[in-house]
């Protein structure tokens, strides 16, 4: 018995020894991570690795599937339809692309927008989205898969979410390990921050841009790791795709230089970095300039200067490195280096500071005022769950710099503008995946019988080069006979299972939460509204499409429709009519003119509308059903924008009561009560009694009885009002035909040759008086009033 | 002149003995039916007679049909052929009688004509509050090549309100009915304008064009899709459209069309109703016993002059419409289907898409229809295209809802083509993946990487061997323990022998691998050498402990000394093994 005891003793000591040797290397967790699942796809020969790759393939496939199907709420509840505003433009231009071909699209001058100016669409869009959808449609049709371009557009974003999941997996695997990669893929597949811009029907740039973003990061990390021009060129192509897809490419062209800069600061300069960044900068710059909309911006604007600065810095650094090898004056060298890098750093930081505080953020933020597009509270919703874990991660992470740089940058951006939360989402997903993965590695280690490979110090240059092999090695199952049944250190099975259970519950709750948010917050097309009755049955309010389709069918093909710019894209897309202003918002004075027309009184507005050749005016009115996003609620923006350009004619203060309130009832300011927008919104609404408890003309959105119930329109007439009064369209009357008077006169004169001149003249006077009776009555009334 | 004409007409010897005309103007169509008692007053039997239509109404003729009113109350429809009468304008049809009408015989014939777009809105533009008035211009008499002995005309209107009507023969008006006649002895081809101006708020809907696509699949489904352009052809809406009035006053926009019913076949499934911008959510579907009823409600009410465009589609099971005999197939379906009651179709296109590989296509239609050249249609998994029959016809009404038959032959083997195509595509895909994974496609050879891989595989072998060797020692420990209890020297010796033998082979193997490592130029060879050296020491220690235990069993040493020496040995061994382990880790 005693001998046995000794033997087991020995084992124990041996295991302790082994443990000590590992911890002596200083990076146990990272190493464990590498050992965790690095073998995976690359070492597909041995049996367990084969299983592993099958497993990861299955998980990725399921993540794709889950991501795809959780984006289909809107399609199932409503239909396969393009959502919101901008997607309608994208859809329309994709339609143009698929019917007329690529070159026609590039040269497309859209005369239906910004009448009378028009818009050069080919040169003012990021064509990546349209080209992607068009290409998919083209390929499918080549294979005789007769899918309508609309369905391609609707389902593009959900399909790309799967690609995003895979590229996130690749990136996280590159940065951490396979397990974390799989978790990250699952997270990004269902995280609401990303779903918000990529539900089925939300055919917008961001839907494909996040994929391009993640894939570019992956290829960048890969090219820095390998230093191979092949990967760098791949990175450039991916960057090119990103540039063609979304204005957010600026994010990449600043982040990568920042990464390089930080690496330089931390003395991590290497040949691979030099190759990767120089190639990336030059090829990427040239490629990005091929997009007509971007043009020469990369060498002109301040957003891109950081990249140029780092490029110069890197060249200087490399040159100094070269000199250092040749020269002996070590001290002089270091001093010189310090001086140069300090100067460059200062320049770089100032550029960054100027860029983001001064220009980009401000310009981008101002554009989206009256559209409720930001939804900050919901954007943040995935974060509370993940945030607490993040600091832990950042502590663990000492070597893979890309991650913290990325996250810091993304957090900064998201702070500047909540819409850019989108770029933060993948980062958060990756970080939390890493956190979960390492937690699981600690606490789920029961059947992990493999031991860590000897962790190399990766800060060492050579080892870093071999890092690819390092991952390969880890896949080998290495059992140490001597430590087959070594007990776990410190953690009882209870704690393990509790922690694991907690983590699993957290994940489960996360999935439930994501589905809930997706289903409730992001799955409304906003073109079709739905309301629910007391018994749960659903009413569909299809007023937008009713009115747009009426315009499409029953107005002249070249009719010009004036509306506030929010509805420009929808009118162009659904009604196929010419608009004055749209969501592109490139011409502020034109918008201001429309705003002025809306906020002036009818006759002043008529002059503007006449000068703009307006045939129809379209407004959104929610007073009947209580829709709060209508034009009266946006009206102050119209006034403000009009005031900005025409401060003499429009003053915002005129539209407020003396107490400074914006009211539509009797207490409202007379200017408001007589402006065109008010009149058009409430025309004949004063007669309407919605229910017995409220007086006629009770506005449900603003909960007020309207102040001006007797509205008469002189130059406009109601052309169409949708079933729930949500959309009202007015026809601008043509000017009266003045020729009729002369013509009639001549007839009279010819017929009554025998009458005396007196009669003739009196006839003339009567006719003239009759013609201008309104004016006469008006002037008489005016004089009486004055007396 | 007249005498000559009379003689020409009387050549047949036919006379309209008694004519009862009914002009139904209650909808937007003019349905004129006439019951004619034909009498043969000539000398010879007559095989056919001629129907005539006024030259003004000819272009509006949508349908004309004649039937014999039999004694047993069974109508027998007659065959019509368009013909011309010399010297007379108008549209003429030759009607073949079922049996020759003997001289002096009489026959009761019923003639039905449907005219479209003959009701002219007057005034042509009305406001929302106004009612729609229309004018009908027709003939008081029956337009016929034969003399008429006696005739009466009854006009049915849509409402009581009549602005004016021609007063030939002092007609009587009773609510919605105006009775003309009887007129006696009317000459052939006599015309007298009947003009009625009255209120008609019936839906003046016209399908300006419809494209009906029938796609036959031999997998059990027939997909039907109708693309419809609809227009309100009544009086144009003048001035504003007020939603308030429309909602609050029941007679506001009385001539406008809010919705109508389309009746689909009873087996219709997956009905959809949409347009360019998506589903038209205002519709309702009702499944009845003998039909499926869709309440088609356009997105907006249709006022005069307004138009809309929509697509309605559904699936039908093919067993109800597709008949087969060997390779012969026959598709029997309605050429045009019901869209709304009293429908008018200005222009119709029918497309029948047959399965890929259908040959000898032959189309039987119930009435004359223009065939366009056949087309090819490519859809899912098609290679050489599906044949498409295209046919067009203008000016159709409800009476045209009749069956057509498409005959074709189809080789059943072709059914396998599409599944095989899919199988083949997947086969190629997987095969390509297999080829790609198995073969090396790199354009450059990387000797360093190859060496690395070789070294890696050798080190892996070394690892397993060393582990196995360490396992041997543990086995030896067990043997020694057992020996200490059983004191069976034989077992110990045999155990020692097997250890020796296996140890030798393993050591040799490792040495061989070490040599190979050296040959590859890897510095790992030294480490392996070191392991070998350490292993030798371990082996010695094992042997020592073995001897110690022998001595213990033999009673040559005391138990305490044995335990202490065993302990030191074990300690040394452990130290060595841990050194080996660390070396292994470094490999």
């Amino acid at each position: 018995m005693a001998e046995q005891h000794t033997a087991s003793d020995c084992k124990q000591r041996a295991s302790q020894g082994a443990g000590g040797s590992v911890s002596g290397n200083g990076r146990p967790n990272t190493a464990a991570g590498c050992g965790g699942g690095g073998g995976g796809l690359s070492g597909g020969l041995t049996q367990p690795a084969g299983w592993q790759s099958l497993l990861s393939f299955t998980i990725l496939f399921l993540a794709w599937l889950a991501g795809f199907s959780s984006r289909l709420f809107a399609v199932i509840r409503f239909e396969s339809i393009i959502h919101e505003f901008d997607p309608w433009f994208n859809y329309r231009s994709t339609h143009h692309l698929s019917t007329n071909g690529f070159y026609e699209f590039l040269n497309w001058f859209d005369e239906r927008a910004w009448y009378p100016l028009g818009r050069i669409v080919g040169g003012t869009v990021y064509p990546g989205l349209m080209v992607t959808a068009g290409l998919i449609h083209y390929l499918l049709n080549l294979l005789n898969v007769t899918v309508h371009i609309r369905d391609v557009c609707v389902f593009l974003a959900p399909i790309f979410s799967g690609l995003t999941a895979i590229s996130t997996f690749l990136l996280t695997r590159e940065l951490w390990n396979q397990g974390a990669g799989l978790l990250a893929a699952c997270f990004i597949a269902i995280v609401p921050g990303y779903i918000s811009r990529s539900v089925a029907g939300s055919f917008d740039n961001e839907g494909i841009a996040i994929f391009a973003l993640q894939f570019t990061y992956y290829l960048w990390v890969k090219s820095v790791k390998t230093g191979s021009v092949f990967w760098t060129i791949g990175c450039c192509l991916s960057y090119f795709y990103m540039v063609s897809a979304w204005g957010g490419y600026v994010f990449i062209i600043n982040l990568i230089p920042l990464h390089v800069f930080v690496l330089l600061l931390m003395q991590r300069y290497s040949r691979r970095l030099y190759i990767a960044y120089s190639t990336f900068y030059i090829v990427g710059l040239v490629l990005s300039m091929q997009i007509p909309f971007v043009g020469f911006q990369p060498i002109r604007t301040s957003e891109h200067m950081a990249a140029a600065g780092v490029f110069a810095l890197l060249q200087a650094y490399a040159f100094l490195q070269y000199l250092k090898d040749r020269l002996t004056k070590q001290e002089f060298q270091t001093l010189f280096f310090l001086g140069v890098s300090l100067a460059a750093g200062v320049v770089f930081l100032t550029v960054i500071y100027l860029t983001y505080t001064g220009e980009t953020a401000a310009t981008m933020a101002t554009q989206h005022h009256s559209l409720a597009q930001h939804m900050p509270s919901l954007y943040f919703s995935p974060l509370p769950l993940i945030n607490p874990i993040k600091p832990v991660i950042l502590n663990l992470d000492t070597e893979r710099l890309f991650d913290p740089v990325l996250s810091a940058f993304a957090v900064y951006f998201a702070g500047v503008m909540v819409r850019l939360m989108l770029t933060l989402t993948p980062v958060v997903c990756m970080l939390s995946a890493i956190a979960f993965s390492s937690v699981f590695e600690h606490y789920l280690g029961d059947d992990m019988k493999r031991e860590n490979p000897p962790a190399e110090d990766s800060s060492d240059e050579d080892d870093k080069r071999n890092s690819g092999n390092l991952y390969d090695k880890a896949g080998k199952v290495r059992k140490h006979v001597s430590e087959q049944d070594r007990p776990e250190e410190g953690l009882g099975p209870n704690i393990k299972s509790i922690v694991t259970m907690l983590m699993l519950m957290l994940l489960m709750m996360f999935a439930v939460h994501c589905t809930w948010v997706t289903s409730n917050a992001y799955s409304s097309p906003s073109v079709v509204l739905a309301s629910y009755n007391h018994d749960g049955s659903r009413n569909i309010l299809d007023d937008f499409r009713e009115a747009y389709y009426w315009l499409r069918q029953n107005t002249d093909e070249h009719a010009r429709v004036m509306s506030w710019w929010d509805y420009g894209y929808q009118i162009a897309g659904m009604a196929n009519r010419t608009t004055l202003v749209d969501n592109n918002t490139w011409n502020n004075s034109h918008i201001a003119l429309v705003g002025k027309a809306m906020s002036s009184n009818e006759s002043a507005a008529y002059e503007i509308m006449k000068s703009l050749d307006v045939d129809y005016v379209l407004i959104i009115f929610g007073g009947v059903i209580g829709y709060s996003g209508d034009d009266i609620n946006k009206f102050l923006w119209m006034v403000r924008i009009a005031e900005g350009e025409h401060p003499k004619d429009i003053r915002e203060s005129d539209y407020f009561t003396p107490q400074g309130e914006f009211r539509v009832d009797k207490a409202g300011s007379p200017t408001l009560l007589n402006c065109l927008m008010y009149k058009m919104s409430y025309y004949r609404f004063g007669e309407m009694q919605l229910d017995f408890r409220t007086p006629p003309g009770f506005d449900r959105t603003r909960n007020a009885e309207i102040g001006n119930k007797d509205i008469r329109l002189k130059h406009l007439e109601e052309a169409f009002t949708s079933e729930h009064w949500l959309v009202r369209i007015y026809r601008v009357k043509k000017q009266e035909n003045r020729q009729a008077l002369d013509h009639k006169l001549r007839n009279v004169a010819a017929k009554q040759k025998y009458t005396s001149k007196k009669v003739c003249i009196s006839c003339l006077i009567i006719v003239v008086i009759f013609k201008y009776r309104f004016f006469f009555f008006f002037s008489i009334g005016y004089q009486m009033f004055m007396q | 002149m007249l005498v000559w004409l009379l003689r020409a007409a009387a050549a047949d010897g036919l006379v309209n003995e008694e004519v009862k005309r009914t002009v139904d103007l209650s909808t937007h169509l003019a349905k004129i039916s006439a019951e004619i008692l034909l009498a043969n007053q000539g000398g010879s039997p007559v095989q056919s007679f001629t129907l005539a239509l006024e030259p003004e109404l000819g272009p509006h003729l949508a349908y004309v049909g004649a039937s014999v009113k039999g004694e047993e109350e069974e109508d027998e429809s007659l065959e019509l052929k368009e013909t011309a009468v010399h010297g007379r304008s108008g549209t003429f049809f030759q009607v073949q009688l079922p049996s020759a009408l003997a001289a002096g015989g009489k026959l009761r014939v019923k003639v039905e004509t449907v005219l479209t777009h003959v009701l002219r809105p007057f005034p042509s533009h009305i406001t929302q509050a106004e009612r729609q008035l229309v004018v009908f211009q027709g003939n008081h008499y029956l337009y016929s090549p034969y003399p008429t002995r006696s005739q009466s005309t009854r006009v049915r209107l849509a409402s009581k309100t009549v602005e004016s009507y021609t007063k030939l023969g002092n007609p009587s008006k009773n609510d919605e009915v105006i009775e003309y006649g009887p007129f006696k002895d009317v000459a052939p081809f006599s015309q007298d304008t009947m003009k009625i101006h009255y209120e008609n708020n019936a839906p003046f809907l016209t399908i300006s064009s419809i494209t009906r696509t029938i796609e036959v699949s031999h997998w059990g489904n027939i997909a039907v899709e109708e693309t419809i352009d609809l227009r309100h052809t009544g009086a144009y809406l003048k001035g504003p459209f007020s939603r308030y009035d429309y909602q609050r006053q029941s007679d506001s926009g009385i001539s406008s069309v809010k919705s109508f019913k389309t009746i689909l076949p009873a087996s219709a499934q997956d009905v959809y109703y949409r347009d360019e911008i998506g589903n038209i959510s205002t519709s309702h579907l009702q499944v009845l016993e003998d039909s499926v009823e869709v309440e088609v409600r356009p997105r907006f009410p249709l006022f005069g002059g307004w138009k809309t465009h929509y697509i309605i589609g559904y699936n039908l099971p093919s067993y109800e419409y597709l008949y087969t005999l060997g390779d012969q197939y026959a598709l029997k379906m309605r050429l045009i289907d019901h869209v709304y009651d009293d429908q008018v179709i200005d222009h119709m296109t029918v497309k029948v898409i047959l399965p890929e590989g259908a040959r000898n296509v032959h189309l039987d239609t119930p009435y004359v229809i223009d065939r366009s050249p056949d087309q090819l249609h490519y859809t899912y998994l098609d290679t050489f295209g599906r044949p498409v029959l295209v046919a067009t016809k203008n000016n159709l009404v409800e009476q045209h809802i009749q069956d057509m038959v498409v005959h074709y032959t189809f080789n059943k083997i072709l059914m396998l083509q599409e599944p095989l195509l899919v199988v083949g595509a997947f086969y190629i895909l997987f095969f390509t993946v297999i080829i790609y994974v198995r073969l090396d496609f790199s354009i450059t050879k990387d000797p360093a990487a190859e060496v690395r891989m070789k070294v890696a595989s050798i080190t892996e072998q070394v690892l397993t061997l060393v582990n196995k060797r360490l396992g041997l020692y543990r086995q030896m420990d067990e043997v020694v323990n057992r020996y200490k209890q059983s004191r069976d020297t034989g077992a110990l010796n045999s155990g020692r022998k097997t250890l020796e033998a296996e140890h030798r082979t393993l050591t040799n193997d490792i040495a061989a691998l070490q040599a190979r490592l050296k040959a590859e130029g890897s510095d790992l060879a030294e480490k392996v050498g070191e392991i070998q050296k350490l292993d030798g020491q371990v082996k010695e220690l094992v042997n020592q402990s073995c001897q110690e235990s022998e001595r213990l069993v033999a009673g040559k040493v005391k138990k305490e000394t044995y335990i202490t020496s065993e302990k030191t040995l074990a300690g040394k061994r452990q130290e060595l093994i841990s050194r080996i382990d660390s070396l292994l880790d470094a490999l």
Side-chain angles (χ1 to χ4, degrees), chain A residues 197-379:
Chain A
R197 312 300 300 170
S198 67
V199 287
S202 162
F203 180 56
D204 218 341
N205 293 329
E206 292 93 325
I208 62 166
I210 295 300
F211 156 70
L213 192 79
Q214 291 292 87
F215 201 60
T216 314
Y217 288 160
Y218 162 66
L219 290 172
W220 167 249
V221 171
K222 194 90 187 164
S223 51
V224 171
K225 261 186 179 173
T226 57
S228 107
V229 177
F230 169 76
W231 287 109
T232 320
I233 293 294
C235 178
C236 292
L237 289 175
S238 172
Y239 172 67
F240 174 60
Y241 184 61
M242 175 72 186
V243 176
S244 77
W246 192 35
Y249 76 90
V250 178
F251 196 74
I252 297 182
I253 199 62
N254 282 293
L255 182 78
I256 286 177
L258 187 69
H259 181 216
V260 174
F261 185 65
V262 173
L263 282 178
L264 285 185
L265 279 188
M266 295 181 71
Q267 298 276 342
R268 297 270 174 77
Y269 169 81
S270 69
R271 253 203 146 68
R272 298 187 308 278
L273 184 67
Y274 180 76
I275 293 170
Y277 187 68
S278 304
T279 320
F280 170 78
Y281 180 70
I282 294 166
V283 181
L285 185 80
V286 171
L287 282 178
S288 66
M289 283 162 68
Q290 306 308 307
I291 304 295
F293 190 32
V294 175
F296 280 91
Q297 276 180 38
I299 49 172
R300 271 197 199 137
T301 56
S302 55
E303 292 109 274
H304 300 82
M305 284 307 124
V310 169
F311 180 68
L313 180 70
L314 194 68
Q315 302 305 323
Y317 197 102
F319 181 64
L320 284 178
Q321 287 279 333
Y322 175 76
L323 283 185
K324 211 159 95 181
D325 290 349
R326 305 284 149 141
L327 299 175
T328 45
K329 293 178 190 169
Q330 280 291 331
E331 287 181 5
F332 172 72
Q333 287 291 321
T334 359
L335 272 175
F336 185 65
F337 156 71
L338 272 176
V340 165
S341 62
L342 261 177
V346 165
V347 167
F348 176 75
L349 287 175
T350 5
V351 166
I352 284 196
Y353 179 74
L354 283 178
T355 312
Y356 297 113
T357 51
E359 272 189 65
T360 343
T363 45
M364 284 170 95
T366 44
Q367 274 187 9
H368 302 269
H369 24 236
S370 70
L371 200 63
Q373 208 173 15
H374 296 260
M375 300 189 255
S377 57
L378 281 172
Y379 267 109

Side-chain angles (χ1 to χ4, degrees), chain B residues 81-105:
Chain B
K81 215 172 80 189
E82 188 156 0
T83 168
V85 169
H86 185 70
R88 281 287 171 181
S89 57
T91 317
F92 299 94
F93 295 93
Q94 176 137 31
V95 186
Q96 209 66 40
L97 291 172
S99 57
L101 186 61

Side-chain angles (χ1 to χ4, degrees), chain A residues 549 553, chain B residues 227-230 274-276 307-311:
Chain A
Y549 205 64
Q553 292 291 333
Chain B
T227 311
I228 294 174
D229 277 308
L230 201 62
R274 55 176 299 133
D275 56 29
E276 294 101 318
K307 62 183 184 359
T308 190
H309 170 92
Y310 68 88
I311 297 164

Side-chain angles (χ1 to χ4, degrees), chain B residues 2 6 141-148 184-191:
Chain B
L2 190 76
L6 273 172
Y141 306 120
L142 175 76
Y143 192 67
S144 168
Y146 312 117
T148 306
K184 299 283 180 194
D185 291 323
V186 183
F189 297 115
S190 50
Q191 266 185 286

Side-chain angles (χ1 to χ4, degrees), chain B residues 190-366:
Chain B
S190 50
Q191 266 185 286
D192 187 77
T193 307
M194 171 169 78
K195 192 170 176 182
I196 304 173
H197 189 194
Y198 69 107
E199 180 185 329
N200 186 349
N201 290 315
F204 270 55
L205 277 183
T206 304
I207 299 170
S208 36
S209 83
I210 178 172
T211 305
R212 181 171 155 95
T213 310
I214 300 165
E215 190 170 349
V216 184
S217 160
H218 279 183
W219 297 94
N221 190 52
I222 297 175
V224 182
E225 186 175 279
E226 289 170 355
T227 311
I228 294 174
D229 277 308
L230 201 62
R231 188 180 192 97
H232 190 295
T233 44
Y236 280 80
L237 176 72
K238 182 172 70 179
F241 160 65
S242 164
R243 176 66 73 168
Y244 178 79
D245 291 341
Y246 189 69
Q247 279 173 341
R248 294 296 148 123
Q249 289 164 28
S250 56
D251 63 340
S252 173
I254 195 165
S255 62
S256 68
V257 180
K258 201 169 191 177
S259 69
F260 52 86
K261 283 207 169 96
T262 298
I263 297 167
L264 306 180
S267 52
Q269 287 171 336
D270 316 326
V271 183
Y272 56 91
Y273 168 47
R274 55 176 299 133
D275 56 29
E276 294 101 318
I277 58 171
N279 255 350
I280 302 172
S281 55
T282 43
S283 56
H284 296 283
L285 187 79
Q286 205 177 357
V287 180
L288 304 175
E289 264 178 30
D290 56 347
S291 64
V292 174
E293 220 174 70
V294 194
E295 193 204 338
V296 174
R297 202 175 142 201
R299 293 190 187 275
F300 42 84
L302 287 172
F303 278 83
W306 290 9
K307 62 183 184 359
T308 190
H309 170 92
Y310 68 88
I311 297 164
I312 190 164
Y314 49 91
N315 288 332
L316 297 169
S318 64
Y319 65 81
E320 289 190 4
Y321 299 94
L322 197 61
Y323 302 88
T324 169
L325 177 72
D327 278 354
Q328 298 281 325
Y329 285 83
L331 175 77
K332 191 176 178 197
M333 273 192 86
R334 283 178 172 181
L335 186 59
I336 192 73
D337 212 334
H338 180 270
V339 181
Y340 56 90
D341 293 338
D342 296 314
Q343 61 191 18
V344 177
I345 298 169
D346 284 351
H347 181 75
M348 174 197 68
T349 309
V350 174
K351 289 182 180 176
V352 184
I353 303 173
L354 298 173
E356 197 173 30
R359 284 173 292 114
N360 308 329
V361 185
H362 172 68
L363 176 67
D364 275 345
T365 51

Side-chain angles (χ1 to χ4, degrees), chain A residues 1-4 6 10-11 13-14 21-22 46 78-81 88 91 143-147 150 452-454 466 469 473 476 478-484 528 540 542 545-546 548-550 552-554 573-575 684 687-690 717-725 731, chain B residues 229 239-245 247-249 274-282 297 299-302 305-310 377-383 452 456 459-460 463 467-468 470-471 474 481 484-485 552 562-563 566-567 570-571 574 577-578 581-582 584-587:
Chain A
M1 293 313 284
E3 287 85 348
Q4 270 192 328
T6 27
C10 297
K11 283 172 207 159
R13 248 181 290 156
S21 76
V22 170
T46 52
F78 294 93
E79 56 184 286
S80 164
I81 189 187
W88 274 103
Y91 169 61
L143 295 170
N144 286 335
V145 180
T146 42
V147 179
R150 179 193 58 241
N452 314 324
N466 291 335
N469 299 330
K473 261 188 182 174
K476 293 170 197 160
R478 190 180 293 181
K479 279 183 198 164
H480 280 214
V481 183
S482 50
E483 345 175 333
Q484 244 174 4
V528 187
I540 287 190
D542 215 351
R545 283 193 293 176
E546 179 187 348
Y548 292 141
Y549 205 64
W550 181 84
R552 189 188 186 107
Q553 292 291 333
N554 294 309
M574 284 194 257
R684 303 211 66 185
E687 300 163 48
M688 185 150 173
Q689 187 163 21
L690 288 167
E717 66 180 8
E718 187 178 5
F720 188 79
T721 296
S722 65
E723 194 179 350
H724 304 97
W725 293 49
R731 189 183 295 116
Chain B
D229 277 308
F241 160 65
S242 164
R243 176 66 73 168
Y244 178 79
D245 291 341
Q247 279 173 341
R248 294 296 148 123
Q249 289 164 28
R274 55 176 299 133
D275 56 29
E276 294 101 318
I277 58 171
N279 255 350
I280 302 172
S281 55
T282 43
R297 202 175 142 201
R299 293 190 187 275
F300 42 84
L302 287 172
W306 290 9
K307 62 183 184 359
T308 190
H309 170 92
Y310 68 88
H377 176 75
Y378 295 91
T379 182
Y380 301 98
L381 302 173
D382 283 348
T383 41
R452 266 207 301 278
T459 37
E460 194 161 340
L463 277 177
N467 280 341
K468 220 187 241 175
L470 291 174
R474 297 216 312 169
N481 280 343
K484 276 190 284 188
Q485 282 160 6
L552 174 74
Y562 171 73
I563 288 171
E566 183 70 26
K567 247 185 198 161
Q574 200 51 55
I577 286 176
S578 64
D581 275 351
S582 64
L584 283 181
D585 283 346
L587 279 184

